[in-house]
C-alpha cells in the first residue's frame, strides 16, 4: 500500500515536471528541424538542420541585440549593486537629516504601480532626447528601491562594533562599505544581482516604448518585433531567435539554480 | 556630526535626486497629463476633463478591464491551487527534491516574450502540440487562441504555468514555519490527512495565500506581452489588456494625455481591488 | 600633565540629556574605570573620547591637544569592543595590521609590532586563522592585540569581558591588569561590573544618570561612599540599609527605627530628617544565641532578628535575617551557622556604620575620609 502510494506520487511528479520541461525541450529541438517536421512531438530531429539559425542571424541583428542586452543588463546590475549599497549604507548606518523621509519615499515608490508612471517616464525620455539611446534603457534603472530596501535590511544586522573598529582603524565610510560590508553581504548581493540582471534581461515593454532603431534593440524586444513582424517566416526561425535569449539564462540557471530561486522569490516577497 | 552628514549626503544624495526625477516627477506629471492633450510633436494643450470623460465612456477601455477580471477569475484561483498542491507534494520526504523544485521554477526565469512565442505554437489549432496530444485521445482540435471563449482562459492557464514555481517557493517557505509541535499535536488528536490540511496547514498558510493573491492580481493587471505577441488583443478584443491599450494609445495613436489617464485609472483599480481582496480575506479569516 | 581631560562635556540625543557637565582628568599611565548601570552614560563618555559620538558642548583633550572635533583616526586612541569588532573575513594577522597599513606604517614596522603583540598575548599560532575559528578568550586577545599594535596614547575598553563566561572573565581580568602594568599606557575602562572596577582600577568613577557620583581609589569608594547610591553599588554582597531617624538621648545620639535602636559614634550631628543607616554584611558580627529573647542589649550596639535564609557559599555564608520590618544580611564564616527560624544577635560596630541623609548624601563621616 505504501509502495503504491510512493509510485503514484513519483509518477504524478514526473508528469508535472514533464509539463514544465518538455515545452522547452521541444522548442530547442524544433529549432534544428526543417519546417515540415516542426509540428511533430518528437524531440530528436529527423533531418537535423541549422538553417533556422542561419536565417534568423541573416534577417535581423541578433548578434547586436545580444551585445545590447548584455551591456544594458550588466550596467544596470553593477549600478544597482554599487549605488544601491552606497544608498543603503547611508540609510542604514549614517545619521543625516532627511533619512526618515528617504525611507518613507522608498517604501511609497514601491507601492505605486509601474503603469502609473510609464507614460510620464516615456514623455520624459522623449523630452530629454533619449529615444533610441542606451541612456533610455539604462538610466531609469540605475537605482532600484527593492534592492535598496533589501540591502538596507541586511546592513542593519551587521554589528556596530565593526563600523566602530573600522573608523578607529582610519577607514572612510565608502571604504568601510566596500571592504568590510561587501565581503559580509555576499548572500544578499548575489540575490540582488540575479534579480536585477534577470529583470533587465527579460524586460520588454520599456524597450518597446523607447527604442525603435533595430541596432539598439535588446533581445526580447527584437525577438518580439521579429516574430510579430513576420520577419521570421517560419516557426523554426522564430523559435531559434528565442533560443538566443533563453540559452544564456538556462546555462546560468543550471549552475546557480539555488541562488536564482532564492533571489527571484526573495525579490517578489520583499517587493 | 557634520562630517557624517556630509558623507551621508554624498552617498544617499544621488538616490534622492534619482527619486525626484524618476519617481516623484513622473507620479506628479501623470496627474497633470490627465488634463492635457499631447502628441509629443506639437505643444500640449489643456483638455480639461476630456480625457476622463472619454475614459468613462470608452467601451474599449472597459472591455479591457472586464477582460482582466476574466483573466484574474481564472488565474488567481488556479494559481493558488496549483502552487499549494505542488508545494505540499514537494514538502514531503522526496528523492531529488531540488531537481523537482528547479523543474517547476524553470519557466519563472524565462522571458515572458519567449514563453508567449513558445505557447503560441503549443496552442496553434492545426499543428499545435496540445491539439495533437488531444487528438491522440480522441478530442477534436480546439481553436484555443482564435475562439473568443477560449482565448483568455488559454492565456490565463499559460501565465499560471509560467509563474507557479515562484509561488511554490513562497508556500514552501510558509510550510517551514508551521511548528513541528503543532503538527504532532494535531496528529495525536487523531486528525485525518484532510483534517490536518483543513485545520492546520491551510490556516497557517494564510499570510502566504494573501501574498499569492496580491502578487498574482498585480501581475494580472500588468498583462501585456502575452496578448501583444499571441493574439494582438483579439479575437473580438477578448484578450485586449489594459496595458496593451495604454501602450497602443501612447505608441500607435500618440495620445499621451489619454494613455496617462488610463495609467492613473489602472493604478486606482489595482489599489481598490487589492484592498478589497485583503478585506475579504480578513473577513474570511475572522469566520 | 593629565593624559585625558574632559571639560564641561554635555551630550544630548534629541531632547534627552545623556551626559551633563562632565569633568574628568585621567593621569598619564593611569587605569581609570568608569562604572555604572545601563543608561548611566559610561559608554557614551567612552565613545565621545574615541570620536565615535559627537560632543554637544564642552571640550575633550588628549595630552593638551583638543580632539573634540577630530575624527577617530586622528585621535591616537585605540579601542577594544564588547563584541570585539573583529573583521570576520580577515585573518588574525590582517585584523591586527589593517589599522597600521591604513596609516601607511612601513611594512617591517608593522611586522615588528604584530609579532610583539602576538607574542605578548600568545597569539602566534593563531595568526592565520579567521575570528570564527577562535574561542571567546582568543578573540578577546586579538581585539586587545589590535589596540596594542597601534601603540596609542590612550587605550579604551568598552565592557571587554562581558561576553565571556565567568572563569574566563576572571582570567582575562588579570591579564588586562598585568598587561596595563607593563605597558603603562593610559587606559579608560568601562564596565557595569563593580568587581572588575574594584580589581582593575587605579581610580574608579561611579556614574549614574550621566553624572559623576564619586571618583576615588577603590578602597576609598568602599570605605567612604559619598552617597547611598555608591554605597549600594560598590561592594559585594551589597550593603544593608535601614530607614529611621536620629534621636538624642542623655547626650548620645541613637539611630532609631522600628525594632532597632543603635548607639551612634560620638560626634554624630543631630538631624531631624529621615536617615538611612548602612552597614556592610561583612561588618556585622553575629552571635548565634538561640532562645534568647532580647531586644537590643543595654549597650545598644546589637540588632536581634530571626534567621530566614542561609546561603552556604563555602568558606563564608550569607545569613539573611529579619529585624522587625527590615530584611538584613550578614556575611559570616561557615564553621558555625544558625538555623532558619532561630533568633540571632548581630553586633553593629558603630565605627563601621554609614549614615545617609534624606537626599542620599553621606553624613557625619566627611571628616574621616582618607
Amino acid at each position: 500500500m505504501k509502495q503504491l502510494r510512493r509510485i503514484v506520487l513519483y509518477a504524478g511528479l514526473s508528469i508535472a515536471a514533464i509539463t514544465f520541461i518538455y515545452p522547452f525541450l521541444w522548442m530547442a529541438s524544433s529549432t534544428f528541424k526543417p519546417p515540415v517536421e516542426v509540428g511533430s512531438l518528437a524531440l530528436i530531429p529527423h533531418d537535423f538542420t541549422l538553417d533556422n539559425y542561419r536565417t534568423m542571424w541573416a534577417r535581423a541583428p541578433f548578434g547586436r541585440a545580444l551585445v545590447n542586452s548584455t551591456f544594458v543588463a550588466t550596467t544596470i546590475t553593477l549600478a544597482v549593486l554599487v549605488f544601491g549599497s552606497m544608498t543603503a549604507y547611508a540609510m542604514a548606518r549614517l545619521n543625516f537629516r532627511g533619512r526618515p523621509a528617504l525611507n518613507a519615499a522608498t517604501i511609497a515608490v514601491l507601492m505605486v504601480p509601474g503603469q502609473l508612471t510609464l507614460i510620464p517616464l516615456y514623455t520624459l525620455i522623449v523630452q530629454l532626447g533619449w529615444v533610441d539611446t542606451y541612456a533610455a534603457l539604462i538610466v531609469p534603472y540605475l537605482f532600484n528601491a527593492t534592492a535598496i530596501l533589501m540591502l538596507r535590511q541586511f546592513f542593519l544586522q551587521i554589528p556596530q562594533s565593526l563600523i566602530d573598529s573600522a573608523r578607529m582603524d582610519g577607514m572612510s565610510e565608502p571604504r568601510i562599505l566596500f571592504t568590510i560590508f561587501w565581503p559580509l553581504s555576499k548572500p544578499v548581493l548575489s540575490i540582488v544581482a540575479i534579480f536585477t540582471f534577470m529583470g533587465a534581461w527579460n524586460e520588454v515593454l520599456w524597450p518597446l516604448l523607447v527604442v525603435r532603431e533595430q541596432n539598439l534593440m535588446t533581445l526580447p524586444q527584437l525577438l518580439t518585433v521579429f516574430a510579430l513582424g513576420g520577419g521570421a517566416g517560419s516557426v523554426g526561425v522564430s523559435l531559434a531567435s528565442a533560443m538566443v535569449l533563453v540559452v544564456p539564462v538556462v546555462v546560468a540557471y543550471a549552475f546557480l539554480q539555488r541562488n536564482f530561486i532564492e533571489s527571484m522569490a526573495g525579490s517578489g516577497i520583499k517587493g | 556630526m557634520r562630517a557624517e552628514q556630509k558623507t551621508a549626503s554624498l552617498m544617499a544624495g544621488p538616490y534622492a535626486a534619482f527619486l525626484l526625477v524618476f519617481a516623484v516627477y513622473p507620479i506628479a506629471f501623470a496627474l497633470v497629463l490627465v488634463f492635457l492633450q499631447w502628441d509629443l510633436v506639437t505643444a500640449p494643450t489643456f483638455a480639461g476633463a476630456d480625457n476622463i470623460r472619454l475614459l468613462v465612456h470608452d467601451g474599449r477601455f472597459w472591455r479591457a478591464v472586464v477582460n482582466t477580471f476574466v483573466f484574474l477569475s481564472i488565474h488567481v484561483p488556479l494559481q493558488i491551487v496549483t502552487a499549494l498542491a505542488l508545494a505540499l507534494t514537494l514538502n514531503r520526504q522526496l528523492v531529488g527534491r531540488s531537481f523537482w523544485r528547479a523543474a517547476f521554477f524553470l519557466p519563472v526565469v524565462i522571458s515572458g516574450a519567449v514563453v508567449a512565442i513558445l505557447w503560441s505554437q503549443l496552442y496553434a489549432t492545426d499543428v499545435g502540440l496540445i491539439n495533437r496530444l488531444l487528438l491522440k485521445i480522441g478530442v477534436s482540435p480546439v481553436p484555443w487562441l482564435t475562439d473568443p471563449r477560449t482565448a483568455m482562459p488559454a492565456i490565463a492557464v499559460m501565465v499560471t504555468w509560467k509563474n507557479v514555481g515562484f509561488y511554490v517557493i513562497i508556500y514552501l517557505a510558509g510550510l517551514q514555519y508551521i511548528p513541528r509541535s503543532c503538527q504532532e499535536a494535531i496528529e495525536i488528536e487523531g486528525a485525518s490527512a484532510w483534517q490536518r490540511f483543513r485545520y492546520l496547514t491551510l490556516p497557517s498558510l494564510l499570510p502566504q495565500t494573501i501574498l499569492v493573491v496580491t502578487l498574482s492580481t498585480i501581475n494580472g493587471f500588468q498583462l501585456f506581452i502575452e496578448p501583444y505577441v499571441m493574439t494582438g488583443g483579439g479575437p473580438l478584443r477578448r484578450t485586449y489588456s489594459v496595458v496593451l491599450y495604454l501602450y497602443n494609445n501612447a505608441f500607435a495613436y500618440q495620445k499621451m494625455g489619454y494613455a496617462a489617464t488610463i495609467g492613473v485609472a489602472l493604478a486606482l483599480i489595482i489599489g481598490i481591488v487589492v484592498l478589497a481582496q485583503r478585506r475579504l480575506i480578513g473577513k474570511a479569516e475572522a469566520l | 600633565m593629565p593624559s585625558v581631560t574632559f571639560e564641561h562635556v554635555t551630550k544630548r540625543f534629541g531632547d534627552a540629556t545623556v551626559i551633563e557637565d562632565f569633568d574628568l582628568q585621567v593621569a598619564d599611565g593611569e587605569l581609570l574605570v568608569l562604572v555604572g548601570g545601563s543608561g548611566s552614560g559610561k559608554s557614551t563618555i567612552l565613545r565621545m573620547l574615541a570620536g565615535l559620538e559627537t560632543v554637544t558642548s564642552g571640550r575633550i583633550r588628549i595630552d593638551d591637544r583638543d580632539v573634540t572635533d577630530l575624527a577617530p583616526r586622528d585621535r591616537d586612541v585605540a579601542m577594544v569592543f564588547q563584541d570585539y569588532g573583529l573583521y570576520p573575513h580577515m585573518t588574525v594577522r590582517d585584523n591586527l595590521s589593517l589599522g597600521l597599513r591604513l596609516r601607511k606604517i612601513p611594512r617591517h614596522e608593522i611586522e615588528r609590532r604584530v609579532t610583539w603583540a602576538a607574542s605578548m598575548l600568545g597569539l602566534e599560532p593563531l595568526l592565520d586563522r579567521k575570528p570564527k575559528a577562535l574561542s571567546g578568550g582568543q578573540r578577546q586577545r586579538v581585539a586587545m592585540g589590535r589596540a596594542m599594535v597601534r601603540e596609542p596614547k590612550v587605550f579604551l575598553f568598552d565592557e571587554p569581558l562581558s561576553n565571556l563566561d565567568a572563569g574566563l572573565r576572571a582570567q582575562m581580568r588579570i591579564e588586562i591588569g598585568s598587561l596595563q602594568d607593563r605597558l603603562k599606557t593610559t587606559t579608560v575602562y568601562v564596565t557595569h561590573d563593580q568587581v572588575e572596577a574594584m580589581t582593575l582600577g587605579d581610580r574608579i568613577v561611579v556614574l549614574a544618570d550621566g553624572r559623576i557620583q564619586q571618583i576615588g581609589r577603590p578602597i576609598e569608594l568602599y570605605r567612604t561612599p559619598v552617597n547611598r547610591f555608591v554605597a549600594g553599588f560598590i561592594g559585594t554582597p551589597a550593603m544593608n540599609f535601614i530607614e529611621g531617624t536620629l534621636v538624642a538621648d542623655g547626650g548620645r545620639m541613637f539611630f532609631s527605627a522600628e525594632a532597632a535602636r543603635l548607639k551612634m559614634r560620638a560626634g554624630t550631628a543631630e538631624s531631624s530628617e529621615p536617615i538611612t543607616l548602612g552597614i556592610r554584611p561583612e561588618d556585622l558580627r553575629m552571635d548565634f544565641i538561640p532562645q534568647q529573647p532580647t531586644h537590643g542589649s543595654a549597650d545598644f550596639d546589637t540588632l536581634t532578628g530571626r534567621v530566614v535564609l542561609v546561603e552556604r557559599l563555602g568558606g563564608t555564608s550569607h545569613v539573611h535575617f529579619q529585624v522587625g520590618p527590615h530584611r538584613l544580611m550578614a556575611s559570616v564564616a561557615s564553621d558555625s551557622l544558625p538555623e532558619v527560624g532561630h533568633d540571632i544577635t548581630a553586633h553593629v560596630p558603630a565605627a563601621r556604620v554609614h549614615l545617609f541623609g534624606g537626599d542620599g548624601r553621606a553624613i557625619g563621616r566627611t571628616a574621616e575620609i582618607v
Side-chain angles (χ1 to χ4, degrees):
Chain A
M1 185 59 199
K2 222 173 177 182
Q3 278 290 66
L4 187 73
R5 273 177 63 175
R6 286 204 84 73
I7 293 171
V8 171
L9 174 67
Y10 281 99
L13 266 176
S14 304
I15 291 171
I18 288 170
T19 325
F20 287 91
I21 297 173
Y22 179 79
F24 292 112
L25 294 177
W26 177 84
M27 172 169 97
S29 92
S30 296
T31 61
F32 299 108
K33 292 174 185 171
V36 284
E37 254 188 81
V38 163
S40 130
L41 295 172
L43 289 182
I44 312 292
H46 195 264
D47 257 333
F48 184 88
T49 173
L50 289 173
D51 281 354
N52 292 322
Y53 285 92
R54 286 195 199 100
T55 314
M56 172 270 287
W57 214 258
R59 284 196 193 154
F62 275 98
R64 184 67 201 256
L66 183 63
V67 171
N68 289 341
S69 270
T70 310
F71 172 67
V72 168
T74 308
T75 311
I76 289 173
T77 306
L78 287 178
V80 165
L81 288 177
V82 174
F83 299 151
S85 52
M86 283 171 60
T87 311
Y89 180 84
M91 282 165 68
R93 304 313 290 256
L94 298 177
N95 281 309
F96 59 96
R97 256 178 296 124
R99 181 167 81 166
L102 205 57
N103 265 326
T106 305
I107 292 163
V109 163
L110 286 177
M111 310 228 311
V112 176
Q115 294 91 331
L116 178 77
T117 52
L118 189 67
I119 297 306
L121 264 180
Y122 170 55
T123 63
L124 177 65
I125 296 294
V126 171
Q127 286 184 303
L128 288 169
W130 285 0
V131 170
D132 284 331
T133 64
Y134 284 121
L137 293 173
I138 293 171
V139 176
Y141 294 94
L142 284 180
F143 289 87
N144 178 315
T146 308
I148 288 173
L149 285 186
M150 285 175 80
L151 288 164
R152 175 177 170 271
Q153 202 57 38
F154 194 90
F155 288 171
L156 279 172
Q157 291 160 6
I158 292 181
Q160 177 65 31
S161 67
L162 277 182
I163 300 179
D164 290 341
S165 296
R167 286 180 186 160
M168 304 284 301
D169 269 342
M171 287 193 203
S172 64
E173 301 301 318
R175 186 153 192 164
I176 295 174
L177 168 62
F178 292 115
T179 62
I180 306 294
F181 274 49
W182 265 31
L184 299 178
S185 310
K186 278 177 200 154
V188 70
L189 289 172
S190 83
I191 284 176
V192 168
I194 290 175
F195 82 70
T196 308
F197 191 92
M198 292 300 296
W201 182 264
N202 289 335
E203 176 62 44
V204 60
L205 175 55
W206 181 247
L208 277 172
L209 271 172
V210 297
V211 170
R212 292 101 202 248
E213 167 67 41
Q214 259 204 347
N215 276 328
L216 270 169
M217 286 185 179
T218 58
L219 273 174
Q221 182 187 12
L222 184 63
L223 169 66
T224 306
V225 171
F226 186 61
L228 281 186
S234 80
V235 174
V237 176
S238 109
L239 291 179
S241 57
M243 288 296 282
V244 187
L245 184 57
V246 169
V247 169
V249 171
V250 170
V251 170
Y253 179 58
F255 284 106
L256 299 168
Q257 182 222 106
R258 180 175 291 272
N259 307 47
F260 265 78
I261 293 175
E262 267 174 28
S263 168
M264 302 192 64
S267 71
I269 293 167
K270 301 264 159 60
Chain B
M1 192 186 291
R2 255 158 286 134
E4 186 167 336
Q5 182 78 246
K6 202 173 141 194
T7 315
S9 46
L10 283 174
M11 291 177 92
Y15 171 61
F18 176 90
L19 272 188
L20 279 181
V21 177
F22 291 102
V24 177
Y25 164 76
I27 292 169
F29 194 54
L31 302 177
V32 174
L33 272 171
V34 166
F35 302 99
L36 295 184
Q37 213 153 36
W38 192 17
D39 58 7
L40 278 175
V41 181
T42 54
T45 53
F46 182 71
D50 282 358
N51 287 326
I52 298 170
R53 232 173 282 133
L54 186 57
L55 187 83
V56 171
H57 301 290
D58 187 349
R60 290 182 182 192
F61 172 74
W62 293 108
R63 178 76 249 168
V65 171
V66 169
N67 290 340
T68 304
F69 281 105
V70 170
F71 173 88
L72 291 176
S73 68
I74 300 164
H75 172 61
V76 176
L78 194 60
Q79 191 78 83
I80 293 173
V81 171
T82 52
L84 195 54
L86 285 175
L88 287 172
T89 313
L90 284 183
N91 199 41
R92 295 158 174 242
Q93 297 278 332
L94 280 182
V95 180
R97 192 157 131 191
S98 61
F99 166 79
W100 303 113
R101 200 176 63 151
F104 302 143
F105 199 78
L106 179 63
V108 178
V109 303
I110 305 286
S111 155
V114 170
V115 169
I117 288 171
L118 173 59
W119 277 69
S120 302
Q121 302 311 321
L122 302 186
Y123 276 140
T125 310
D126 302 327
V127 292
L129 242 63
I130 292 170
N131 279 343
R132 278 176 180 252
L133 276 175
L134 288 178
L135 210 54
K136 289 200 172 162
I137 56 168
V139 179
S140 51
V142 180
W144 296 109
L145 295 176
T146 45
D147 185 327
R149 286 167 304 173
T150 54
M152 198 49 132
I155 290 180
V157 169
M158 179 192 79
V159 173
T160 308
W161 174 87
K162 175 170 169 24
N163 293 340
V164 69
F166 175 80
Y167 298 111
V168 166
I169 303 297
I170 291 177
Y171 272 127
L172 275 176
L175 285 167
Q176 305 307 310
Y177 285 111
I178 302 179
R180 180 174 282 270
S181 56
C182 287
Q183 293 172 29
E184 285 167 353
I186 198 166
E187 259 178 70
I188 287 167
E189 288 181 22
S192 68
W194 163 253
Q195 285 171 322
R196 289 202 299 263
F197 172 75
R198 172 69 185 80
Y199 293 107
L200 177 66
T201 315
L202 195 59
S204 306
L205 290 176
L206 187 74
Q208 282 73 32
T209 303
I210 293 175
L211 194 64
V212 173
V213 168
T214 307
L215 290 179
S216 60
T217 301
I218 292 173
N219 196 40
F221 279 109
Q222 288 174 343
L223 195 67
F224 167 73
I225 194 65
E226 295 83 358
Y228 185 72
V229 168
M230 298 171 82
T231 59
L236 297 178
R237 299 192 160 272
R238 282 306 192 276
T239 61
Y240 221 109
S241 78
V242 182
V243 177
L244 182 57
Y245 190 48
L246 181 154
Y247 172 81
N248 281 340
N249 269 289
F251 198 80
Y253 319 142
Q254 306 289 316
K255 298 201 304 204
M256 296 306 141
Y258 194 51
T261 310
I262 296 170
V264 174
L266 182 56
L268 286 175
I269 293 173
I270 291 176
I272 292 167
V273 170
V274 169
L275 280 181
Q277 282 175 339
R278 296 240 160 151
R279 280 259 168 103
L280 272 176
I281 294 175
K283 269 192 190 152
E285 185 190 16
L287 284 178
Chain C
M1 180 176 66
S3 184
V4 173
T5 312
F6 285 83
E7 279 172 16
H8 306 295
V9 170
T10 295
K11 174 70 180 175
R12 279 191 264 289
F13 290 112
D15 291 338
T17 302
V18 188
I19 304 294
E20 192 151 10
D21 200 20
F22 183 81
D23 279 306
L24 181 68
Q25 298 197 334
V26 186
D28 194 27
E30 180 181 28
L31 197 164
L32 181 102
V33 177
L34 296 174
V35 66
S38 60
S40 62
K42 57 190 190 301
S43 284
T44 307
I45 290 168
L46 194 74
R47 292 173 63 81
M48 286 192 293
L49 177 53
L52 296 169
E53 297 285 357
T54 52
V55 173
T56 309
S57 68
R59 311 308 298 175
I60 298 174
R61 277 179 241 288
I62 295 177
D63 276 2
D64 276 2
R65 188 167 66 117
D66 189 331
V67 298
T68 316
D69 298 316
L70 294 184
R73 60 171 160 274
D74 301 324
R75 295 192 177 199
D76 206 5
V77 296
M79 185 154 167
V80 177
F81 296 90
Q82 178 174 359
D83 55 0
Y84 318 133
L86 301 179
Y87 309 124
H89 57 295
M90 294 183 192
T91 61
V92 169
R93 187 189 303 278
D94 289 342
N95 264 288
L96 291 178
S97 61
L98 183 69
L100 302 179
R101 279 184 276 145
L102 289 170
R103 284 178 169 74
K104 307 265 191 289
I105 307 270
R107 185 173 303 184
H108 61 90
E109 173 66 9
I110 295 179
E111 186 59 32
R112 184 192 70 74
R113 290 198 203 174
V114 169
T115 313
W116 165 73
S119 76
M120 251 179 129
L121 296 162
L123 293 173
E124 293 106 328
L126 309 174
L127 282 174
D128 294 315
R129 293 209 199 154
K130 291 197 175 162
K132 214 179 274 174
L134 303 180
S135 69
Q138 290 168 335
R139 286 180 206 177
Q140 171 66 59
R141 285 200 189 89
V142 176
M144 276 162 43
R146 183 167 64 179
M148 281 163 59
V149 296
R150 292 266 317 280
E151 299 185 349
K153 285 245 168 60
V154 185
F155 278 137
L156 309 176
F157 287 85
D158 190 6
E159 307 229 14
L161 303 182
S162 48
N163 281 9
L164 300 176
D165 60 51
L168 205 50
R169 199 180 306 161
Q171 183 197 333
M172 290 309 294
R173 197 171 70 206
I174 294 166
E175 282 190 31
I176 291 177
S178 64
L179 197 69
Q180 206 269 342
D181 264 353
R182 275 183 286 166
L183 296 176
K184 292 277 178 255
T185 306
T186 310
T187 302
V188 181
Y189 188 109
V190 161
T191 182
H192 66 272
D193 178 351
Q194 55 94 13
V195 177
E196 258 173 54
M198 294 292 281
T199 50
L200 275 176
D202 294 327
R203 279 193 307 153
I204 298 175
V205 178
V206 181
L207 288 162
D209 300 326
R211 288 168 180 280
I212 293 177
Q213 304 296 310
Q214 188 170 1
I215 305 179
R217 287 182 290 123
I219 196 66
E220 290 167 11
L221 301 191
Y222 178 78
R223 287 206 184 130
T224 53
V226 298
N227 61 32
R228 193 184 152 160
F229 177 84
V230 176
F233 192 80
I234 297 291
T236 37
M239 190 182 275
N240 294 300
F241 293 108
I242 306 175
E243 320 286 334
T245 50
L246 286 179
V247 289
D249 191 353
R252 297 269 341 217
M253 292 301 295
F254 289 86
F255 172 80
S256 170
E258 196 183 335
R261 187 173 169 88
L262 292 167
K263 193 162 63 185
M264 293 290 97
R265 278 185 309 278
T268 301
E270 224 178 310
S271 172
S272 55
E273 58 178 331
I275 292 291
T276 302
L277 176 144
I279 179 80
R280 294 198 184 276
E282 54 271 32
D283 290 336
L284 282 172
R285 221 183 68 243
M286 186 157 296
D287 263 347
F288 171 39
I289 316 163
Q291 316 297 332
Q292 191 185 327
T294 51
H295 286 285
S297 69
D299 296 335
F300 295 112
D301 64 349
T302 57
L303 294 169
T304 306
R306 179 157 291 173
V307 176
V308 290
L309 177 70
V310 178
E311 290 178 290
R312 292 178 172 79
L313 306 176
T316 59
S317 293
H318 293 167
V319 177
H320 299 256
F321 59 102
Q322 197 80 31
V323 176
H326 317 292
R327 174 82 171 256
L328 303 179
M329 198 259 273
S331 180
V332 299
S334 295
D335 5 309
S336 147
L337 290 172
E339 274 173 47
V340 172
H342 288 193
D343 289 336
I344 49 99
T345 304
H347 293 263
V348 184
R352 296 294 173 89
V353 160
H354 303 263
L355 292 177
F356 305 99
D359 56 0
R361 286 216 200 124
I363 50 175
R365 293 193 65 163
T366 32
E368 287 175 41
I369 282 178
V370 186

